[in-house]
Amino acid sequence: MNDGIGDIERANLRFRQVVEAAPTAMVMVNKAGLIEMVNTQTEIIFGYSRAELLGQVIDILLPERFRHQHPHHRASFFSDLSPRAMGTGRDLYGRRKDGSEFPVEVGLNPIETDDGVKVLSAITDISARKRMEERFRQVVEAAPNAMVMVNKAGLIEMVNTQAEIIFGYSRDELLGQVIDILLPERFRHQHPHHRASFFSDLSPRAMGTGRDLYGRRKDGSEFPVEVGLNPIETDDGVKVLSAITDISARVKASEKLAEHRDELERSNKELATFAYVASHDLKSPLRGIFQISHWIEEDLNNGQTHAIPDHMNLLRGRLRRMEHLLDDLLAYSRAGRLEGSASQVEIGRLAQNVFEMQAPPDGFTLVVAEDLPTFTTLATPLEQVLRNLFANAIKHHDRTEGHINLSWRVVSKNYYEFSVTDDGPGISPEYQERVYIMFQTLRPRDEVEGSGMGLALVKKIVEAYGGTTGIVSDGIRGTSIRFTWPINIEGRLASASPS
């Protein structure tokens, strides 16, 4: 009998020694909630002596605001005895003797004794961990880009203010939601696979390397993003912290750079064409002048002065052609500059004024659509386009009478399309691209005045403002030159000006 009692006493002693040696606070209470055992860590953490705690209700170690709930929680535990964490899903706090509070984790274990079931609580002060978590949250909050932390199921557990700003959701609207809410719908079906792939090979990396990534705002609009993924070890398992950067400005700048590069390439091609063709077209009248001067000299030497007036007329014609050519070259070099101030322009009236300024031959008329728009634009370049198109239609007409029509339509929310249509000889399809090249004419120079720069000038001006040109003709009778023109040219000027 004594050996049995000795075994029990030794077992109790070992139990007390294990409790005493535990690195956490250990508190054993009975069903009434009275403290029956504590260890040294309990005294250190809570600031009470052992004598002050034994026999007291466990509520002494709780903040006052939680004490009224505790008897209910204690009764619940005794009705279903099993080891568990206390207050799962809730923030738990202990209260020291001096009244200060601190965050804790509590593990509950039922203990069978001769006096009935007791509860042994293992209490851990997690103040240091909470401070680390708070510092982590502060770092995430201070990040200049959107930060979103998700668990393995893809549920959002943390976001920062930048995430709210960039995506347009409040924090409460995001927490607990699947991360797919921030993705365009067309990518959502792929995302669980990509997420599983990341969790199977945890390492910091960029998301979607080699692919264009997009985020989706609350209003449904999309924007280009870069995403960095980082695995984070937590007590609840591995999470993924995503750093999301809105790269809309960078993409826009890249697109602008590409536009400038294309414009530079186009300018270089124009310059090459200019150097090649101008050398020929500038030399041609000079050679003619040189030749005519020899004819005049020969006539004077031979005493045949009757032919000199004809030669002088030819000479003046060559000089006029050269003057026209130089004027057109100067106009072409200046064409399409994105500058000037916009004003309200009534297209119908502008077209009539431009046509009358051409001093068209008798028999040529202009008909404009009655509903031509009035809008804010740059009048001078638009006037240049219309003047060249009207002059071209008159100059290349094969009859003494002709009709020119100006019509229009809306082709998009950003552009009008205008059409200048004549009833002249038409342009064969195989020549329709050629007429846009500098100095190109389809008839001999001696048959028609001009440098062949008209449509090249039109094309350059229109394309400088983001528009396009086109020709519609069957090559037999009639030609329609079409061009698009921006409705909001002020916005284009603003985007083109240096910031």
Side-chain angles (χ1 to χ4, degrees):
M1 178 70 75
N2 289 336
D3 288 342
I5 294 173
D7 290 341
I8 293 172
E9 289 178 350
R10 283 192 295 272
N12 286 336
L13 178 61
R14 283 197 296 271
F15 172 72
R16 291 180 180 276
Q17 288 173 337
V18 168
V19 169
E20 186 61 34
T24 56
M26 304 292 286
V27 180
M28 190 167 72
V29 300
N30 59 26
K31 194 169 184 178
L34 301 179
I35 299 173
E36 295 190 351
M37 183 191 303
V38 297
N39 65 353
T40 302
Q41 280 298 315
T42 305
E43 297 178 283
I44 295 172
I45 289 174
F46 285 94
Y48 289 97
S49 68
R50 200 170 303 226
E52 290 175 306
L53 290 175
L54 294 176
Q56 296 293 326
V57 178
I58 186 64
D59 295 358
I60 194 175
L61 303 181
L62 302 179
E64 290 186 9
R65 63 184 182 279
F66 297 137
R67 292 180 183 178
H68 69 283
Q69 304 168 336
H70 199 244
H72 168 71
H73 294 313
R74 189 166 63 246
S76 175
F77 179 78
F78 274 99
S79 68
D80 180 18
L81 293 169
S82 61
R84 71 185 74 166
M86 177 179 170
T88 303
R90 291 185 291 118
D91 289 331
L92 302 180
Y93 292 87
R95 184 179 185 276
R96 300 184 184 93
K97 182 179 179 178
D98 62 10
S100 60
E101 297 181 11
F102 59 101
V104 295
E105 280 184 350
V106 182
L108 303 177
N109 289 274
I111 303 292
E112 294 282 352
T113 73
D114 293 337
D115 299 330
V117 177
K118 317 288 186 180
V119 178
L120 183 64
S121 304
I123 305 167
T124 305
D125 182 351
I126 58 172
S127 299
R129 187 202 308 168
K130 286 291 185 180
R131 284 193 297 270
M132 290 295 292
E133 288 177 358
E134 183 57 30
R135 280 198 290 269
F136 174 71
R137 288 181 182 275
Q138 288 173 350
V139 169
V140 169
E141 187 61 36
N145 44 19
M147 304 293 284
V148 180
M149 189 166 75
V150 302
N151 59 24
K152 195 168 185 178
L155 299 180
I156 298 173
E157 295 190 350
M158 183 192 302
V159 298
N160 66 351
T161 300
Q162 279 300 313
E164 295 179 281
I165 293 171
I166 289 174
F167 288 96
Y169 289 96
S170 70
R171 202 166 301 222
D172 290 340
E173 288 176 309
L174 289 175
L175 295 176
Q177 296 293 325
V178 179
I179 187 66
D180 295 358
I181 193 176
L182 303 181
L183 303 179
E185 290 187 10
R186 64 185 182 279
F187 298 137
R188 292 180 183 177
H189 69 283
Q190 305 168 336
H191 200 242
H193 167 71
H194 295 312
R195 189 168 63 244
S197 175
F198 179 80
F199 274 99
S200 67
D201 180 19
L202 294 168
S203 62
R205 71 185 75 164
M207 177 180 172
T209 304
R211 291 185 291 119
D212 290 333
L213 301 179
Y214 292 88
R216 183 180 185 275
R217 301 184 183 93
K218 182 180 179 179
D219 63 10
S221 60
E222 297 182 10
F223 59 102
V225 295
E226 280 185 350
V227 182
L229 303 177
N230 290 276
I232 303 293
E233 294 282 352
T234 74
D235 292 338
D236 299 329
V238 178
K239 318 285 186 183
V240 178
L241 184 64
S242 304
I244 305 167
T245 305
D246 181 351
I247 58 172
S248 299
R250 189 197 310 170
V251 169
K252 188 173 182 180
S254 178
E255 290 172 350
K256 200 71 179 174
L257 184 62
E259 287 178 12
H260 289 321
R261 185 177 62 247
D262 293 342
E263 180 62 30
L264 182 60
E265 289 177 359
R266 186 163 54 249
S267 297
N268 287 338
K269 288 179 181 178
E270 287 179 356
L271 183 60
T273 304
F274 175 86
Y276 175 77
V277 180
S279 63
H280 175 272
D281 278 65
L282 285 171
K283 285 178 181 177
S284 179
L286 286 174
R287 283 195 296 268
I289 292 169
F290 183 77
Q291 185 179 32
I292 294 169
S293 68
H294 274 290
W295 291 346
I296 294 172
E297 186 178 20
E298 289 174 359
D299 289 343
L300 288 172
N301 290 336
N302 296 330
Q304 298 177 351
T305 57
H306 65 280
I308 289 178
D310 291 335
H311 294 330
M312 290 299 293
N313 285 333
L314 284 174
L315 184 64
R316 292 186 189 98
R318 295 293 191 278
L319 289 172
R320 279 196 302 271
R321 183 187 299 170
M322 192 153 191
E323 183 180 18
H324 286 321
L325 181 60
L326 291 173
D327 287 344
D328 286 345
L329 285 174
L330 183 60
Y332 187 84
S333 69
R334 293 174 174 172
R337 293 181 180 175
L338 297 176
E339 56 188 21
S341 58
S343 61
Q344 194 79 350
V345 174
E346 186 180 337
I347 301 301
R349 180 174 296 179
L350 176 68
Q352 288 287 2
N353 291 340
V354 170
F355 182 74
E356 291 169 6
M357 287 173 63
Q358 301 296 306
D362 293 338
F364 277 85
T365 58
L366 173 68
V367 178
V368 300
E370 293 183 357
D371 60 344
L372 280 166
T374 297
F375 67 111
T376 302
T377 188
L378 294 178
T380 301
L382 186 53
E383 182 180 327
Q384 282 182 292
V385 170
L386 293 174
R387 184 170 64 247
N388 277 278
L389 291 178
F390 294 159
N392 201 68
I394 295 169
K395 182 168 45 183
H396 295 286
H397 209 289
D398 59 347
R399 296 174 182 171
T400 56
E401 295 182 353
H403 301 284
I404 301 171
N405 289 280
L406 176 62
S407 59
W408 75 295
R409 67 189 180 109
V410 178
V411 291
S412 73
K413 66 178 181 179
N414 297 319
Y415 285 91
Y416 294 133
E417 181 186 80
F418 298 99
S419 298
V420 175
T421 306
D422 63 53
D423 55 357
I427 302 175
S428 296
E430 63 266 30
Y431 296 125
Q432 289 178 8
E433 286 300 319
R434 176 180 162 188
V435 297
Y436 286 119
I437 301 174
M438 289 185 289
F439 312 116
Q440 292 292 310
T441 60
L442 301 183
R443 293 163 62 192
R445 289 287 169 81
D446 290 332
E447 292 183 17
V448 59
E449 282 291 332
S451 61
M453 290 281 285
L455 291 183
L457 188 61
V458 166
K459 182 179 176 68
K460 184 176 182 182
I461 293 172
V462 169
E463 289 183 351
Y465 293 99
T468 58
T469 58
I471 298 176
V472 178
S473 177
D474 60 7
I476 300 172
R477 179 58 53 187
T479 300
S480 181
I481 308 291
R482 298 176 178 177
F483 68 93
T484 58
W485 195 259
I487 296 173
N488 178 22
I489 207 164
E490 291 176 301
R492 187 166 181 83
L493 289 171
S495 65
S497 63
S499 55

